Amino acid sequence: MRKAVDYTLYLVTDRELLASGTLEAAVESAIRGGCTVVQIREKTASSREFFEQACRIKAITDAHGIPLIVNDRADIALAVRVDGLHIGQSDLPLAVARRLVCDMLVGVSVANLDEALIAKEGGADYLGVGAMFPTDTKKDTRSVSVDELARIKRETGLPIVAIGGINERTLPMLAGIGIDGIAVVSAILSQPDMAASATSLKTSFLSGARHHNA
């Protein structure tokens, strides 16, 4: 049985955006600041590099009791024995990914209600919805409207994590929708004090975006 996950502050890694230090130190700081999930994303690393990096990160997330999710690579997820796999629309089909990773969490990136309903039907455990706002980490994606995000949450009933350009400035636009979490990259990794940035984002989210408007 898959364990319940607190998706409140979902860190997605990107070594190229690190303000300083190592990815391991950044993940440690983010968790210290209140990060509740870590997804390791390595688009340019070799399989060996990805595996070794994931092993190092898993030692940190395990020590803090935080779920670790691997982006895209079912083989790495299985090899490192992480908690979950996250796939996009151009990655392995959900049915195939589920067959491979069995009882691991499987999250799916979606950009509209149709994709969200298909993912729900296919057995996704949670959805990453975005990109919500323009972002340098995903230059080729169009933005999802806040209304569409609300529809996806309402009609799927799945845990929803909003992603894409989320920071202290854009976070208030998500208030009242009742989503389960926010996924961030540069809003933590590119900041001089990553722990403080994580704490601030989490506090802002919990005071606004998670709660439904009356």
Side-chain angles (χ1 to χ4, degrees):
M1 182 175 173
R2 292 185 287 280
K3 64 184 179 183
V5 174
D6 177 358
Y7 293 100
T8 302
L9 187 58
Y10 185 124
L11 175 69
V12 180
T13 70
D14 187 332
R15 286 183 293 175
E16 294 180 4
L17 293 176
L18 283 178
S20 61
T22 64
L23 188 58
E24 292 89 334
V27 168
E28 182 85 46
S29 294
I31 293 172
R32 207 167 60 244
C35 174
T36 58
V37 183
V38 175
Q39 180 193 128
I40 181 167
R41 183 169 68 188
E42 292 285 355
K43 293 295 188 184
T44 59
S46 68
S47 293
R48 172 64 69 89
E49 288 171 333
F50 196 164
F51 170 75
E52 291 176 348
Q53 181 75 80
C55 287
R56 292 192 296 269
I57 297 299
K58 186 171 186 290
I60 297 166
T61 55
D62 280 357
H64 291 277
I66 298 294
L68 179 62
I69 293 171
V70 162
N71 179 264
D72 186 15
R73 297 284 300 271
D75 57 336
I76 302 294
L78 287 167
V80 183
R81 298 183 178 180
V82 296
D83 299 281
L85 174 71
H86 190 90
I87 55 175
Q89 294 296 312
S90 61
D91 296 329
L92 279 176
L94 175 55
V96 176
R98 172 61 75 202
R99 192 164 70 240
L100 287 171
V101 302
C102 300
D103 286 337
M104 279 186 190
L105 288 164
V106 179
V108 180
S109 293
V110 301
N112 56 56
L113 181 58
D114 287 344
E115 291 176 353
L117 292 172
I118 290 168
K120 180 184 181 179
E121 178 93 9
D125 292 295
Y126 74 94
L127 303 177
V129 181
M132 293 307 306
F133 309 104
T135 169
D136 288 339
T137 60
K138 294 267 187 173
K139 296 179 187 297
D140 58 344
T141 55
R142 59 185 177 79
S143 295
V144 177
S145 72
V146 172
D147 285 346
E148 187 78 349
L149 176 66
R151 276 193 293 273
I152 291 170
K153 176 59 186 174
R154 186 171 62 247
E155 297 196 28
T156 65
L158 289 174
I160 300 296
V161 179
I163 186 169
I166 295 173
N167 52 43
E168 292 283 3
R169 181 179 55 79
T170 58
L171 187 51
M173 298 182 223
L174 303 179
I177 297 173
I179 57 175
D180 301 87
I182 50 171
V184 296
V185 189
S186 60
I188 290 177
L189 297 182
S190 298
Q191 307 310 308
D193 188 334
M194 297 179 204
S197 296
T199 300
S200 180
L201 284 164
K202 187 175 185 179
T203 300
S204 297
F205 175 72
L206 291 174
S207 67
R210 174 174 276 180
H211 301 109
H212 291 284
N213 283 331

